Amino acid sequence: MNHKIQKYKSNKLADKKWSLNKTPHKPSYDIAITIPSYAEYDYLFKTLDSINNQDTDMLKNTLVSIVINNSNNEKQSVIDNNNKTYEKLLESTFQFECLIIDAFTSKKIINNKYAGVGMARKICVDSILEYLNEHSLICFLDADTTISKKYLSTIYESYISKKWNAATVNFNHQNDEPKTKELINTYENYLKETALNIKKSGSPYCYVSLGSTMICSYNAYIAVGGMNKKKASEDFYFLQELEKYCGVTQIKDILVHPSSRYISRLYLGTSRRLEKALKGELDLSSLYFSKKSYNILTQWISLALDSRSIDLVDVKNKITNIDKNLLKFLNDINLDNAWKAINDAPTNNHFIKQFHRWFDGLCVFKLLKFYTKS
């Protein structure tokens, strides 16, 4: 892994212009909590208060990094909010080591091409890597998400006992916005029901892709190439890479509480969908996938995993028996080339892993959307 660490730091590390506001007191920390902050003055300090309520001994080995960020094409109100946030952070004291990364002032702003939560998360982690060790945990929070008092202790106990390298925690949204009280319950049910139905289908990509629920080890972060720079859905793609690398454990305890606010600055995500629902532009019930789509997904995964060493022609005949449109869908995502590589797997376990590496979370959602729309 040392070679991978050096390679990452040489080729993939975020620009060094984004640096910490001070040197941490300790050379190494067991846990890092990383928080992107974009015009979050009204929310961030509630999140930090909830971190301050964690086990005192654990906080001694916890490093919190906050990247205050905006693009080079920003409203003055965002810039003012970020300045206000920065000044208050400098005046604040906590039971944990809190570091600030400036990605909002004139020489530190993020180019509009990359400005978004993916890049902000990447800067937040990459800036503190030298103060972590190969066994450190990296927790991804959002500035509007409070955490349970047992957040750190539950995660760390699970990490030690189950020896995972990536995980998600369970969540319940806050009822902090009266206008979205009913909508957030519908949306949360959609997220959790979708994950459960994907699990029943036999796919390992059966977690809710929510940024504030993600945790991974230092080694896993390096192994998957760090956080991606996507402006939206960065959590989906990051978790997908972690699943392919090491699997994603699901901690069932409800440990995080995201806000149920509604804002329009994101391309996707909870707040954007809530805003559209409030405006009458989106019926949240339309997000649910059809029973038929889950049925086809289940049959296809079962067929595929029972088809090791079977010729592709025979596999295609069985695919057609499931549904006449399924073969066309699979051909469009390159079944022919993929199957040859999958079928060359030396063992059945390797065969299963290769199949799921190809038919990944993105393919799962494409199939569900394909059959729900049709």
Side-chain angles (χ1 to χ4, degrees), residues 125-266:
V125 178
D126 287 7
S127 299
I128 59 169
L129 282 178
E130 64 181 295
Y131 298 102
L132 305 180
N133 58 69
E134 292 187 26
H135 303 290
S136 298
L137 281 182
I138 301 169
C139 303
F140 297 86
L141 273 189
D142 289 325
D144 65 350
T145 301
T146 58
I147 59 176
S148 159
K149 289 184 178 180
K150 294 184 178 180
Y151 174 84
L152 287 179
S153 57
T154 302
I155 289 170
Y156 203 71
E157 286 170 13
S158 175
Y159 174 58
I160 295 300
S161 63
K162 296 183 179 179
K163 296 178 171 57
W164 45 258
N165 274 294
T168 59
V169 301
N170 203 353
F171 65 96
N172 272 345
H173 282 86
Q174 303 170 47
N175 282 319
D176 57 334
E177 291 286 353
K179 289 184 178 180
T180 63
K181 190 171 183 178
E182 292 183 15
L183 293 175
I184 195 61
N185 291 332
T186 301
Y187 186 68
E188 188 172 298
N189 288 338
Y190 152 72
L191 293 174
K192 292 184 177 182
E193 186 177 310
T194 300
L196 180 60
N197 284 329
I198 291 173
K199 182 178 182 179
K200 290 177 180 178
S201 77
S203 172
Y205 301 93
C206 54
Y207 40 73
V208 176
S209 297
L210 200 64
S212 56
T213 68
M214 304 188 303
I215 315 109
C216 71
S217 67
Y218 176 98
N219 281 343
Y221 182 83
I222 298 294
V224 300
M227 178 57 68
N228 57 73
K229 299 177 183 179
K230 293 184 179 297
K231 290 192 173 187
S233 300
E234 87 298 338
D235 41 16
F236 175 88
Y237 289 101
F238 185 62
L239 284 170
Q240 180 170 264
E241 290 307 305
L242 288 171
E243 175 59 44
K244 291 180 181 183
Y245 169 65
C246 59
V248 176
T249 294
Q250 294 183 46
I251 299 172
K252 295 180 180 179
D253 302 68
I254 295 172
L255 299 179
V256 299
H257 301 280
S259 171
S260 58
R261 63 178 173 169
Y262 52 98
I263 49 177
S264 60
R265 70 187 187 212
L266 302 175

Side-chain angles (χ1 to χ4, degrees), residues 31 36 62 116 136 143 214 225 228 233 242 264 275 286 311 331 344 365:
I31 301 173
T62 300
S136 298
M214 304 188 303
N228 57 73
S233 300
L242 288 171
S264 60
E275 189 206 34
S286 69
D311 186 79
N331 282 335
D344 285 341
F365 277 97

Side-chain angles (χ1 to χ4, degrees), residues 112-117 230-233 263-273 276:
N112 197 52
K113 181 180 178 181
Y114 299 111
V117 68
K230 293 184 179 297
K231 290 192 173 187
S233 300
I263 49 177
S264 60
R265 70 187 187 212
L266 302 175
Y267 298 101
L268 296 171
T270 303
S271 56
R272 175 61 171 152
R273 282 172 169 161
K276 291 182 74 174

Side-chain angles (χ1 to χ4, degrees), residues 25-44:
H25 290 108
K26 297 177 63 176
S28 180
Y29 293 80
D30 294 333
I31 301 173
I33 298 177
T34 60
I35 307 173
S37 179
Y38 172 93
E40 297 285 5
Y41 184 85
D42 294 333
Y43 292 89
L44 176 61

